[in-house]
Amino acid sequence: MSFLQKFQLAAEKAGKQAATFGQSVAREVQSGGEKTLGGFKLENECAKAAKTLQTFLADPNHPESALNAIPKAVLSGAKGFAIFTVLKAGFVWSGKAGSGVVIARLPDGSWSAPSCIATGGVGFGLQIGADLSEFVVVLNSDDALSAFAKGGNVTIGGQLAAAAGPIGVGGAVNTSLLKPAPMFTYSKSKGLFAGVSLEGTVLIERKDANEAFYGQAIPAVDLLSGKVPPPEAASALYETIEAAEAVDESGLPSQAYVVPEGGVVDPSLGPAAATSGQSQKIFDASGAH
């Protein structure tokens, strides 16, 4: 067999492998996209957000789960939450799309009606297959909440700083809350906490999804300020937060993972990583978008 024939056979084989790869990615995008975007219906986003948030919070039936969850102290001080999922997929050209909701804590301690948000983008790079990530952004300040309430676009880490939020219980968590960043960010990939950076991520208000659900165009500021009664569709989301706020942390060891500046603490390294300051940069923010 000549060199040219060998080359042609190799090329044909590579072409078939690429086609198979493309079909596999397309299937993942289709199934994952349906799960992620949920048709941008607000009722679907609320149900998805409740399930997503639940994986980040402690289970009231298993208080020890608080050692690997968003701290109760962070929840009690939160002005609001942005909860969303993002699907990234591609072969050479890559794209990402995500959706979720924002809710705000009202002056009486209850939660506002949700407002739908989305994110997206395209890029060029070696990304094969599809990956689904889940995000929770804790809004720690009135300014952070106001950024979402004004509608339009919100850039994470733009005008308002964002930092990876603490995990666990104990004095280290309380210390990190003395002067918290306007936003704490948390991310999970394949069910595990991950150091995926949200720096530069743009979240937009989905006015069409809000209008379709509420029956009229309602500004995000009205939704998040309590002018619209909280809908039944979001009840599971509210209940998830309330259950986590009621978790009994007494008797648990002081074990917290507070991210040092410029790094991400990997909870799998154990308590020593948090107390000794050992850190590991899990994800390079420069390649996140």
Side-chain angles (χ1 to χ4, degrees):
M1 182 181 295
S2 67
F3 174 79
L4 180 58
Q5 289 174 319
K6 290 181 180 180
F7 180 81
Q8 289 174 331
L9 286 174
E12 289 177 5
K13 184 177 180 181
K16 291 178 180 178
Q17 290 176 336
T20 302
F21 229 2
Q23 292 171 356
S24 176
V25 170
R27 286 193 296 269
E28 290 188 62
V29 170
Q30 183 177 1
S31 61
E34 291 174 354
K35 180 179 178 181
T36 305
L37 301 180
F40 282 119
K41 293 181 179 179
L42 188 57
E43 54 267 43
N44 293 344
E45 296 302 328
C46 288
K48 177 161 63 69
K51 292 179 180 178
T52 296
L53 185 59
Q54 193 171 42
T55 67
F56 286 82
L57 303 182
D59 181 352
N61 296 319
H62 300 280
E64 68 279 4
S65 63
L67 298 175
N68 193 36
I70 295 176
K72 183 176 176 179
V74 171
L75 295 181
S76 62
K79 303 286 187 179
F81 296 97
I83 307 154
F84 56 100
T85 53
V86 175
L87 175 72
K88 294 182 68 177
F91 180 60
V92 178
W93 288 97
S94 63
K96 65 178 181 179
S99 62
V101 298
V102 177
I103 58 172
R105 193 189 299 273
L106 301 177
D108 64 358
S110 64
W111 294 97
S112 74
S115 178
C116 193
I117 55 174
T119 186
V122 296
F124 182 83
L126 183 59
Q127 177 165 327
I128 300 172
D131 180 60
L132 186 67
S133 297
E134 301 170 316
F135 297 94
V136 172
V137 179
V138 181
L139 310 180
N140 293 321
S141 70
D142 291 329
D143 287 340
L145 182 58
S146 177
F148 282 92
K150 289 179 180 177
N153 298 346
V154 176
T155 302
I156 304 297
Q159 294 179 337
L160 295 172
I167 298 170
V169 300
V173 170
N174 296 329
T175 299
S176 72
L177 293 175
L178 293 177
K179 291 184 179 180
M183 290 182 274
F184 279 155
T185 64
Y186 296 88
S187 62
K188 278 192 174 185
S189 181
K190 299 178 181 178
L192 301 175
F193 277 100
V196 181
S197 172
L198 281 176
E199 191 77 16
T201 296
V202 178
L203 297 170
I204 62 172
E205 177 191 356
R206 287 294 307 217
K207 297 180 181 180
D208 54 342
N210 286 340
E211 183 175 356
F213 179 79
Y214 292 107
Q216 58 182 307
I218 302 178
V221 64
D222 288 348
L223 294 173
L224 299 180
S225 62
K227 292 183 179 180
V228 176
E232 180 65 26
S235 59
L237 180 56
Y238 307 140
E239 291 168 2
T240 296
I241 299 172
E242 291 170 1
E245 288 181 323
V247 170
D248 183 7
E249 295 181 348
S250 62
L252 292 177
S254 180
Q255 180 175 313
Y257 307 96
V258 178
V259 180
E261 185 176 355
V264 175
V265 172
D266 181 355
S268 66
L269 296 177
T275 56
S276 66
Q278 180 183 358
S279 64
Q280 176 183 2
K281 195 163 187 178
I282 302 174
F283 193 89
D284 184 356
S286 63
H289 310 291

